[in-house]
Amino acid sequence: MRVKLVAGNWKMNGSLASTQALLKAIVPPLAAANRARFAVCPPYPHIAAAVQALRGSNVALGAQDLCQFDDGAYTGAVSGAMLAELGCRYVIVGHSERRAVFGESDDVVAQKHAQALKHGLTPILCIGETLAERESGSTEAVVARQLEAVAKRCGIAAIGQGVVAYEPVWAIGTGRTATPQQAQDVHAFVRGRVAAADKGVAQALTILYGGSVKGGNAAQLFAMPDVDGGLIGGASLVAEEFAAICRAAQDAKETVKAESS
Ligand code: PEP
């Protein structure tokens, strides 16, 4: 049985005041929601405010990135130990914006995944193809390569200690959502790849969908058998939209997958 997870990725948006207002607005509507898991990932300078605002709530705290190294002369970087000390539970690794804008390779992403686990954080490993890659028929090859880079460095059990987020790059921030079937097809492929190495890990693995999820399309996406929730960008900055997406997760049927022999 997999419990749905909805995580908001606030990216580099907002002021301290607007982040505090957003935190204040998202916590109360989720107070009674106990059939799904929720998290938000504010920008680093707003994490301390989030620690206060989320204390005692059922919304967990995450960060958007971490350094692949332990500590030392890495100007501008933030370590896994620092995030853990602040009270972060999750950390996003390998977001397509980190890969494309900041040039992070599959191996750097794998190193970050390892760092997250080393410090007791749950990595949310983002994988996904560009539009050109989808159109040339290489979606599966791309997500397999991204996933296997982490499995190679960290081991298959480490994939299971984290969360995977399938985020087609063409759907991120574009308003163009993958259809529920497109998402399901890739999620089933990812689970199948993991199952080839370890069935138990595959069965328990939380695989989120990300890419223009909104209150209006979340329920259809979350109804797919291999879609275990969402990583939400733009819509997570709007309290009512985020609440609607979280409600869709709360109301979705828990996924019980028959053991495939
Ligand atoms: C994201 O950046 O992780 C994301 C899914 O963004 P959006 O929901 O805005 O497409």
Side-chain angles (χ1 to χ4, degrees):
M1 193 177 294
R2 298 188 296 270
V3 177
K4 296 258 189 296
L5 169 65
V6 176
N9 173 12
W10 291 352
K11 309 195 185 186
M12 195 175 73
N13 289 299
S15 62
L16 185 55
S18 71
T19 295
Q20 277 167 328
L22 185 55
L23 287 159
K24 208 169 161 194
I26 60 164
V27 168
L30 297 176
N34 56 5
R35 297 185 59 235
R37 297 170 288 164
F38 312 106
V40 291
C41 304
Y44 290 135
H46 300 168
I47 286 181
V51 169
Q52 299 278 332
L54 299 178
R55 189 162 287 139
S57 80
N58 58 351
V59 181
L61 184 59
Q64 298 172 20
D65 187 34
L66 82 170
C67 183
Q68 65 269 42
F69 306 116
D70 272 324
D71 54 25
Y74 302 106
T75 301
V78 173
S79 73
M82 292 170 182
L83 296 176
E85 189 178 37
L86 278 174
C88 288
R89 180 178 309 168
Y90 296 98
V91 62
I92 299 170
V93 297
H95 191 280
S96 66
E97 289 150 15
R98 299 294 319 173
R99 294 177 189 263
V101 182
F102 299 96
E104 289 185 9
S105 66
D106 290 340
D107 193 49
V108 166
V109 174
Q111 290 174 52
K112 291 187 172 195
H113 197 281
Q115 273 295 314
L117 291 177
K118 178 174 173 182
H119 295 286
L121 301 162
T122 300
I124 300 176
L125 168 64
C126 299
I127 58 175
E129 81 287 2
T130 63
L131 186 58
E133 288 164 340
R134 173 160 283 262
E135 287 176 347
S136 67
S138 29
T139 297
E140 292 187 351
V142 170
V143 298
R145 189 201 74 224
Q146 293 170 332
L147 193 67
E148 270 145 37
V150 177
K152 191 168 156 218
R153 178 175 275 275
C154 309
I156 198 69
I159 299 276
Q161 288 172 274
V163 167
V164 172
Y166 168 57
E167 298 210 304
V169 179
W170 47 271
I172 296 179
T174 59
R176 186 177 165 193
T177 317
T179 65
Q181 193 57 54
Q182 283 174 320
Q184 168 58 26
D185 288 348
V186 180
H187 284 224
F189 172 77
V190 168
R191 202 177 302 285
R193 290 298 284 217
V194 176
D198 189 314
K199 275 191 188 159
V201 168
Q203 175 118 356
L205 181 65
T206 295
I207 308 178
L208 308 181
Y209 167 78
S212 298
V213 178
K214 299 188 172 47
N217 59 24
Q220 295 95 304
L221 286 158
F222 296 168
M224 303 311 283
D226 287 295
V227 177
D228 305 317
L231 180 56
I232 319 297
S236 69
L237 292 165
V238 181
E240 305 75 48
E241 277 291 316
F242 190 63
I245 295 165
C246 292
R247 262 197 311 278
Q250 161 81 2
D251 295 343
K253 286 207 183 75
E254 281 153 347
T255 306
V256 183
K257 281 207 66 167
E259 186 82 46
S260 51
S261 53

